[in-house]
Amino acid sequence: AQKITQTQPGMFVQEKEAVTLDCTYDTSDPSYGLFWYKQPSSGEMIFLIYQGSYDQQNATEGRYSLNFQKARKSANLVISASQLGDSAMYFCAMREWSNAGNMLTFGGGTRLMVKP
Amino acid sequence: EAGVAQSPRYKIIEKRQSVAFWCNPISGHATLYWYQQILGQGPKLLIQFQNNGVVDDSQLPKDRFSAERLKGVDSTLKIQPAKLEDSAVYLCASSSRLGSKVGELFFGEGSRLTVL
């Protein structure tokens, strides 16, 4: 079974508007972390935001916020006031702390395209 | 602070040839990861090192892939012999639990392999 599911292969958004990228996850581990990474066409993976499973409040980092709904096992990324430079692939990832390796498992990604 | 260094950035080889990729993590980071990212997909973990020991290599095709981190610092990933389906970007990442985000991974720019 997929541990991280991103159901939107591609999305368009108008510049200056907000956009939500979906992410659902599957785990039985009570302690886990959720990450969002951005991958521009140049290829590097850029860390955006982190949410711990025990965090009481939704994480925010500048224009990025994470809509964390634990009961639904969803961790959607919200980008406010989209900019042309936001055009990239976006990956949701999860780390389960009970696993010995604590490695990140990634979803398939969503390609975001910002229209001028 | 210097980031994760990888080389070469690009490599083109014919099937059945061999190739090696090198990674130097961020100074002081004990954990090093190699991920394989096939075009249009999310990264998949190949192997994880903690210092110079292997933590997880369950998804490494051991009949053709090998990796080492002899002194617990830099690492080499080798493919021999290469197959067409090995065409991908090989991403190296490192992490330290002392980082600002719990278990955040820092990625290199990747090594893009094309097998003809």
Side-chain angles (χ1 to χ4, degrees):
Chain A
Q2 291 280 358
K3 288 205 169 188
I4 296 284
T5 302
Q6 295 180 253
T7 57
Q8 306 152 313
M11 286 195 69
F12 284 96
V13 63
Q14 198 68 40
E15 193 179 7
K16 298 187 179 69
E17 292 185 349
V19 62
T20 298
L21 306 183
D22 294 342
C23 172
T24 58
Y25 59 92
D26 182 27
T27 181
S28 57
D29 190 339
S31 181
Y32 54 91
L34 296 157
F35 299 75
W36 277 92
Y37 280 83
K38 172 184 179 181
Q39 188 177 44
S41 56
S42 52
E44 75 270 30
M45 297 284 279
I46 303 168
F47 168 77
L48 296 178
I49 196 166
Y50 167 82
Q51 180 85 42
S53 59
Y54 293 119
D55 292 345
Q56 294 296 314
Q57 294 189 328
N58 287 345
T60 60
E61 292 280 353
R63 295 187 298 112
Y64 305 108
S65 60
L66 203 151
N67 183 3
F68 182 45
Q69 298 188 44
K70 196 169 182 178
R72 294 186 176 184
K73 294 188 175 179
S74 75
N76 298 339
L77 176 70
V78 180
I79 305 174
S80 62
S82 297
Q83 302 171 356
L84 295 178
D86 294 335
S87 294
M89 284 292 291
Y90 289 81
F91 292 97
C92 179
M94 177 174 65
R95 166 170 283 179
E96 297 164 295
W97 295 109
S98 66
N99 283 343
N102 297 155
M103 72 281 200
L104 276 185
T105 302
F106 285 83
T110 295
R111 180 173 298 281
L112 178 66
M113 291 152 282
V114 181
K115 298 186 290 184
Chain B
E1 178 183 76
V4 176
Q6 289 189 247
S7 67
R9 287 294 314 277
Y10 305 94
K11 188 74 176 179
I12 301 174
I13 61 173
E14 295 189 349
K15 59 183 179 183
R16 291 188 287 275
Q17 288 187 326
S18 62
V19 63
F21 302 111
W22 173 82
C23 172
N24 194 23
I26 292 173
S27 178
H29 280 192
T31 311
L32 185 148
Y33 311 78
W34 283 102
Y35 280 84
Q36 179 193 57
Q37 187 177 20
I38 293 172
L39 185 65
Q41 299 181 16
K44 181 185 83 171
L45 180 73
L46 292 176
I47 188 167
Q48 178 186 348
F49 292 95
Q50 182 71 19
N51 296 308
N52 61 351
V54 175
V55 176
D56 188 318
D57 63 357
S58 57
Q59 298 193 87
L60 187 75
K62 298 181 185 62
D63 57 334
R64 298 183 298 107
F65 286 65
S66 64
E68 59 184 15
R69 192 184 184 198
L70 293 175
K71 296 182 179 178
V73 180
D74 58 345
S75 175
T76 303
L77 175 71
K78 295 180 182 177
I79 308 173
Q80 181 179 13
K83 291 185 175 182
L84 296 177
E85 58 261 36
D86 298 332
S87 293
V89 175
Y90 291 86
L91 293 164
C92 179
S94 68
S95 73
S96 165
R97 294 183 73 103
L98 299 177
S100 59
K101 298 297 180 187
V102 181
E104 174 191 353
L105 266 64
F106 296 83
F107 284 84
E109 292 182 311
S111 295
R112 182 179 297 275
L113 173 67
T114 301
V115 182
L116 303 176

